[in-house]
Amino acid sequence: MNRKLLDHKDDPRLVQPEHELAPPAARGARVKAADLKPVRIGYLPFYVDYYEGICPDFPREKAAVAGRCADTLRSLGDVVWDGQLIRDADSAARVGRELREQSLDCIVVVSTIAVFGGIPWAALRQLDLPILIWNAQQIRTVGKGYSMVEIVRHTGQIGTQALANTLLREGRWFRVVTGHESSPRSAKQLARFLRVARTASRVRAARLIAVGEGFPMMTDVELDPAYLREHLGPTIARVSAHKLTHSYVSVREEEVDRHLVQLKRKAVVHDIEPDELRRSVRLCEAVATLADANQAAAGTVNCHGPNCLRNPAIGITACYSLGYQNSLGRPFTCTGDLPTALAMLLLKELTGASMYTEVQVMDEKRNAVVIANSGEGEDAIRRPGAKPSVRGNTNFKGLHGRGASFAYPLKPGPATIVSLTPTPHGLKKFRLVVAEGQILPDRLPDAGALAGFFRFASANVHHAYTRWLEAGPVHHAGTAPGHWASELADVAQLLDIEFVGV
């Protein structure tokens, strides 16, 4: 059977935002390289003819329900379905075998009526994917004329319970969305599940790139490629300082000029020498070329030492390059920090935003900690009304001066901070540390980068920050607007990693 791929309609909740500083000529190609694909959904609607003697209209009615549910899912991703209801275990097994070849992110099951658990299990036992059971109820209230026909007509929840129990017995991970078919709450929960499933799938399949040699003695940013591949799935491509230099000197002057025109049109550029700015743009194009060539989903550049700062050919920091990559949906970190690149990718896929972050000093008066970086941008966390700003780096100076860095205040409101680290001696091989809280309206005086104040939601700053530190995070993290701990806990379960909420 040749299964039909239904059309996809973009959902902003599932597609990464483009950064307004990305030059149009490069932007389209870069986004394609970042592999920002919609979630792929295997759709399994079930019906059994056991009840047709009660009402001969049931098959037609339930086919219509399945079609409407497919339309709803189609608005959120790519739906793989042949347009038919699955009626028995043999058909379910055949469909399960076919769906194995479809590179899916998840499965959505709809029991249009009371369906025996063994029928959907015949398909699902063959699919090692996140499962959503959607109980798409067809009525909002029960009236006086609720006859036996009506009772049977609305037994989708019986099929839902039968399958949920079967999956529990089999040790399978699943979630349930229940509510009226057109309920806004159901739509929100469907989108939530698909974000979680897509995130776990993309992280497992991710290709990371590490540009430059490692940072000596900075042990918390290290990540063994073989360990990562075995226990989580992503692969790492290493790019030497020599290859970075070759890419840098190969950038054409017209590419630099074109990038500069777009940058100056969209951002306030200040406090940086022309040569420093050109070098920063040239390095940005070089890193982009390497990321494209390696089909990277995320990465890191260690711009310290001989890689960039002490490299006679380059001689500046790479902060602007990292922010630019982040704007294309490819989160990048500094110092060779691959664990945080992976954490930021997870957060970026889930939320559309991820700011490279250091969780810094406590401010007892504000009951908060400082969160900041050295100028690696994230436009989604820029304070509304604050103009995008690019300036010379305020922290580091290389052989040829300071590299360009982003600088603007952070958007106040709910936020989540995430760190990921390997834990080789535990039952779980990775740990995800998550803290929800608020970015305060207060501005950090003259930080010259991205900086603000974060107040933990769970406890006062002393207790919460102690828990954060004792969880053993990398000294870098990712930050996104909004509260995402619940979704992150689900992603951690799907990836079989430990979740620690602060």
Side-chain angles (χ1 to χ4, degrees), residues 133-151:
I133 311 172
W134 182 9
N135 177 35
Q137 190 166 302
Q138 298 299 300
I139 57 172
R140 296 183 184 275
T141 188
V142 175
K144 293 181 179 180
Y146 199 66
S147 64
M148 181 54 67
V149 171
E150 289 300 300
I151 289 175

Side-chain angles (χ1 to χ4, degrees), residues 104-336:
L104 300 172
D105 295 307
C106 62
I107 298 292
V108 175
V109 176
V110 172
S111 290
T112 61
I113 205 166
V115 175
F116 316 127
I119 297 176
W121 177 240
L124 295 173
R125 68 191 307 168
Q126 305 178 70
L127 301 167
D128 186 16
L129 293 166
I131 299 167
L132 177 73
I133 311 172
W134 182 9
N135 177 35
Q137 190 166 302
Q138 298 299 300
I139 57 172
R140 296 183 184 275
T141 188
V142 175
K144 293 181 179 180
Y146 199 66
S147 64
M148 181 54 67
V149 171
E150 289 300 300
I151 289 175
V152 177
R153 175 175 275 121
H154 301 293
T155 53
Q157 81 284 350
I158 301 298
T160 297
Q161 292 174 76
L163 178 55
N165 180 266
T166 301
L167 295 175
L168 176 67
R169 291 169 182 249
E170 297 294 338
R172 294 293 297 273
W173 189 95
F174 68 94
R175 290 290 181 265
V176 174
V177 169
T178 184
H180 189 269
E181 177 190 322
S182 61
S183 164
R185 179 186 178 278
S186 293
K188 181 178 179 180
Q189 291 301 307
L190 287 170
R192 177 195 183 279
F193 171 84
L194 296 176
R195 281 197 300 270
V196 166
R198 181 186 189 278
T199 298
S201 176
R202 298 302 190 266
V203 168
R204 283 199 182 279
R207 295 167 58 91
L208 306 181
I209 183 174
V211 181
E213 312 307 329
F215 198 115
M217 307 304 294
M218 194 175 284
T219 56
D220 65 328
V221 305
E222 295 174 354
L223 185 57
D224 178 68
Y227 184 88
L228 175 65
R229 177 67 172 168
E230 178 183 359
H231 297 295
L232 199 55
T235 58
I236 300 171
R238 298 279 183 182
V239 176
S240 67
H242 175 74
K243 288 183 179 179
L244 173 61
T245 302
H246 181 268
S247 182
Y248 177 85
V249 299
S250 299
V251 176
R252 299 190 304 271
E253 292 299 323
E254 53 266 33
E255 293 179 87
V256 176
D257 292 338
R258 183 172 62 248
H259 193 130
L260 279 170
V261 168
Q262 296 298 327
L263 169 59
K264 292 178 179 179
R265 183 172 65 86
K266 293 295 186 180
V268 175
V269 180
H270 63 101
D271 196 25
I272 186 169
E273 296 298 323
D275 181 66
E276 295 171 328
L277 185 60
R278 288 191 71 85
R279 287 177 180 275
S280 298
V281 169
R282 184 181 299 277
L283 180 57
C284 179
E285 291 291 328
V287 171
T289 297
L290 293 170
D292 286 347
N294 287 277
Q295 297 181 313
T300 185
V301 178
N302 179 17
C303 66
H304 297 271
N307 301 306
C308 291
L309 282 175
R310 298 300 160 194
N311 184 330
I314 301 174
I316 47 98
T317 58
C319 298
Y320 177 75
S321 302
L322 308 187
Y324 179 85
Q325 285 303 305
N326 196 16
S327 76
L328 300 177
R330 285 193 294 221
F332 263 62
T333 65
C334 189
T335 69

